[in-house]
Amino acid sequence: MAVLVLADHKDGALTQPTRSTVAAARKLGEVHVLVAGEGAGAAAAAAARLPGVAKVLTGSEAPALAEPLAAQLVALAPGYSHLLAPASAAGRNVMPRAAALLDVQVLSDVCGVVDADTFIRPIYAGNALATVKSADAKKVLTVRATSFDPVPAEGGNATVEAAPAAADPGLSSFVGAEIVKSERPELTAARIVISGGRAMGSAENFAIIEKVADRLGAAVGASRAAVDAGYAANDMQVGQTGKIVAPELYIAVGISGAIQHLAGMKDSKVIVAINKDEEAPIFQVADYGLMADLFKAVPELEAELAK
Amino acid sequence: MKVLVPVKRVVDYNVKVRVKADGSGVETANVKMSMNPFDEIAVEEAVRLKEKGVAEEIVAVSCGPNAAQEQLRTALAMGADRGILVEHDGVLEPLAVAKLLKAIVGREGPALVILGKQAIDDDMSATGQMLAALLGWGQGTFASRVEKEGDAIRVTREVDGGLETVSVKLPAIVTADLRLNEPRYASLPNIMKARKKPIETVKPADLGVDVTPRLSVLKVEEPAKRQAGKKVGSVQELVEKLRNEAKVI
Ligand SMILES: Cc1cc2nc3c(=O)[nH]c(=O)nc-3n(C[C@H](O)[C@H](O)[C@H](O)COP(=O)(O)OP(=O)(O)OC[C@H]3O[C@@H](n4cnc5c(N)ncnc54)[C@H](O)[C@@H]3O)c2cc1C
Ligand SMILES: Nc1ncnc2c1ncn2[C@@H]1O[C@H](COP(=O)(O)O)[C@@H](O)[C@H]1O
């Protein structure tokens, strides 16, 4: 039986976590992709070009709400052995709902596929990895994108067709969205991420980090303390309850390294920590640790990179 | 309206959990247990709704061992009116918890259920959405703001890239994100008062719910450990190392 991937997309383009989810899905069978929500048409064309995708289904172009989308997934479910989505805010919103409608226990944040029934997922903020076997006839999972190399954006040639319409249960309505516009790469897809913590002291001070980010083509992240204090936007939070990132290079500036923060970045290839406290736990995971005052070190770093 | 708040007993967020030597799970004997941090936020939101006169009664529910009474007492000390313990000693997966909660909802008839967005032990982030599905209710997940508007609830949600607002018809499910509020500490007089508030105990069988797990845990292991690297003495040295040794810039 084929497997179905629910795509995440923005401004008509697929997100990188969607391509990682397709990579995970390819281990399970022939891949079909469902694209729904605003801009679905353009994103469906992009999905059709992904290598390994056999069929693309398009759903409603209305803003994606959990209730109708879950109903759509349930309507399509009989044709599939597995339903997958990236473990993004969107995927986490809809997949557990679809799973419950199918009387299936969802598997969240899957970071390894052992076989069709057996998956690996992190628990306790990634302090442990559980290998679990599902007894459910159908599997519903969300996929931790950083654990699967994304399939290339080009190379496939799938057919595109409209998914049969599913009834909207009419339980909620979309009021509006405030999506932050940024020229910088997306946090979960960036090759380099530089994050600031509570020590940044203000939203204005984040500018020194942004300058380094622009030199490196990096995305900007933050600790929860920095977000709670209003120095950074909520969608910049890296950690157990924020975004999971695994870039080539992660630079933590004025971040102590609480387990909840480490949960979101400790799979980065190279970690740099800039902190004035020698005892800060972040140094225990950093490949390169610089004990320094960030207000001196970060501008110096920018200057050095300009050379 | 009546508000139901499910609260989970979990290993305290400050505890660094250890994987058991035999790979069967993590060490939970003799470690500090607390209410799941997101559930404190959920209780706080319910208490604020009551203080604003929007909610009349708050019922806290926990599914788990007898010791979960402690977490119910914490919820009562924060301002919940009464507690229900669905007592069960084995593993309870989100689907099973959602079925138990559905049965409790059937008995209690709340207009709103506020859950945490995620339990910090299983990190599933699923129970609220599953309960919404089973009840056929709408859901406002990862809420950073909640306002009642007539017969609906307006929920501002933390999504990738920013915020989104949805209006969900009541009865509804909300799951609390970190920035919904800052939970209060229970005062000593309120802790004393909470001792007298009622906690009812029921069993899954009383509710007619089969809680058999769907997942079997084959093994639990520690993730690959990261080695601490080296200290660099200056920004110049750092940049040199990143360029020539790590080759990442
Ligand atoms: C349920 C729950 C979920 C959570 N989820 C997350 C999450 O997803 N992500 C997350 O990040 N946190 C999360 N947290 C919070 C986490 O526990 C920590 O409180 C948080 O990560 C601390 O942020 P911080 O490192 O910026 O601040 P602090 O711990 O205050 O650290 C600041 C650091 O800056 C250093 N410093 C100060 N001044 C300077 C200077 N001038 N130059 C250089 N260094 C300086 C200090 O030495 C210190 O190490 C969560 C907590 C809970 C309970
Ligand atoms: N055993 C439980 N008892 C009461 N509430 C629970 C239980 N398990 C999960 N919940 C609720 O569901 C939320 C999400 O949990 P989870 O889906 O496990 O991440 C928690 O924050 C609680 O509000």
Side-chain angles (χ1 to χ4, degrees), chain B residues 3-227:
Chain B
V3 181
L4 200 76
V5 187
V7 300
K8 187 176 188 185
R9 175 180 170 86
V10 298
V11 171
D12 186 82
Y13 81 97
N14 272 313
V15 173
K16 171 120 177 57
V17 299
R18 274 178 218 298
V19 172
K20 284 188 190 160
D22 66 359
S24 64
V26 304
E27 208 56 74
T28 51
N30 301 318
V31 301
K32 185 177 176 210
M33 303 296 286
S34 298
M35 188 193 300
N36 182 43
F38 289 98
D39 304 353
E40 289 182 2
I41 298 172
V43 173
E44 175 67 33
E45 197 62 21
V47 174
R48 291 187 188 186
L49 288 174
K50 192 175 171 190
E51 286 167 350
K52 279 190 243 168
V54 175
E56 278 109 46
E57 194 191 17
I58 303 168
V59 182
V61 188
S62 193
C63 309
N66 191 268
Q69 295 217 19
E70 288 167 29
Q71 282 62 49
L72 287 172
R73 289 282 167 217
T74 306
L76 297 176
M78 288 175 73
D81 297 292
R82 56 194 174 86
I84 301 174
L85 172 68
V86 183
E87 196 180 340
H88 180 75
D89 279 324
V91 174
L92 287 174
E93 291 167 354
L95 180 61
V97 174
K99 288 179 179 179
L100 295 170
L101 294 174
K102 181 189 176 197
I104 299 288
V105 165
R107 293 183 3 168
E108 295 285 340
L112 184 64
V113 184
I114 312 179
L115 304 89
K117 104 163 178 184
Q118 163 175 0
I120 61 163
D121 51 1
D122 66 15
D123 280 334
M124 277 286 196
S125 195
T127 308
Q129 299 89 309
M130 296 189 116
L131 176 60
L134 298 180
L135 289 166
W137 293 7
Q139 65 189 54
T141 54
F142 324 143
S144 65
R145 200 185 156 107
V146 172
E147 274 167 298
K148 187 168 180 280
E149 269 187 342
D151 59 359
I153 187 137
R154 184 188 270 254
V155 181
T156 303
R157 311 179 50 235
E158 297 205 3
V159 296
D160 296 334
L163 297 171
E164 174 185 293
T165 304
V166 292
S167 175
V168 189
K169 274 188 198 150
L170 291 171
I173 301 292
V174 165
T175 75
D177 213 321
L178 288 171
R179 279 161 286 275
L180 183 56
N181 60 51
E182 236 180 86
R184 70 194 64 193
Y185 288 102
S187 67
L188 197 58
N190 285 342
I191 292 172
M192 301 304 287
K193 255 192 262 168
R195 289 192 186 159
K196 296 202 190 70
K197 292 184 181 175
I199 294 181
E200 177 197 354
T201 300
V202 294
K203 295 267 161 90
D206 304 334
L207 301 171
V209 175
D210 176 4
V211 294
T212 313
R214 304 296 180 81
L215 308 177
S216 45
V217 178
L218 304 186
K219 67 174 178 222
V220 174
E221 48 195 342
E222 256 180 64
K225 269 228 166 29
R226 264 196 104 93
Q227 295 300 321

Side-chain angles (χ1 to χ4, degrees), chain A residues 204-268:
Chain A
E204 294 70 45
N205 289 346
F206 254 81
I208 60 173
I209 282 196
E210 286 161 6
K211 281 190 191 148
V212 174
D214 292 340
R215 287 252 175 255
L216 292 170
V220 178
S223 72
R224 173 187 172 188
V227 174
D228 282 1
Y231 307 162
N234 67 272
D235 72 300
M236 288 162 69
Q237 179 176 315
V238 171
Q240 179 185 16
T241 52
K243 300 250 163 74
I244 308 293
V245 302
E248 300 266 298
L249 172 62
Y250 187 88
I251 308 178
V253 179
I255 292 178
S256 59
I259 41 178
Q260 293 86 6
H261 188 79
L262 300 185
M265 45 65 77
K266 70 178 161 53
D267 293 332
S268 304

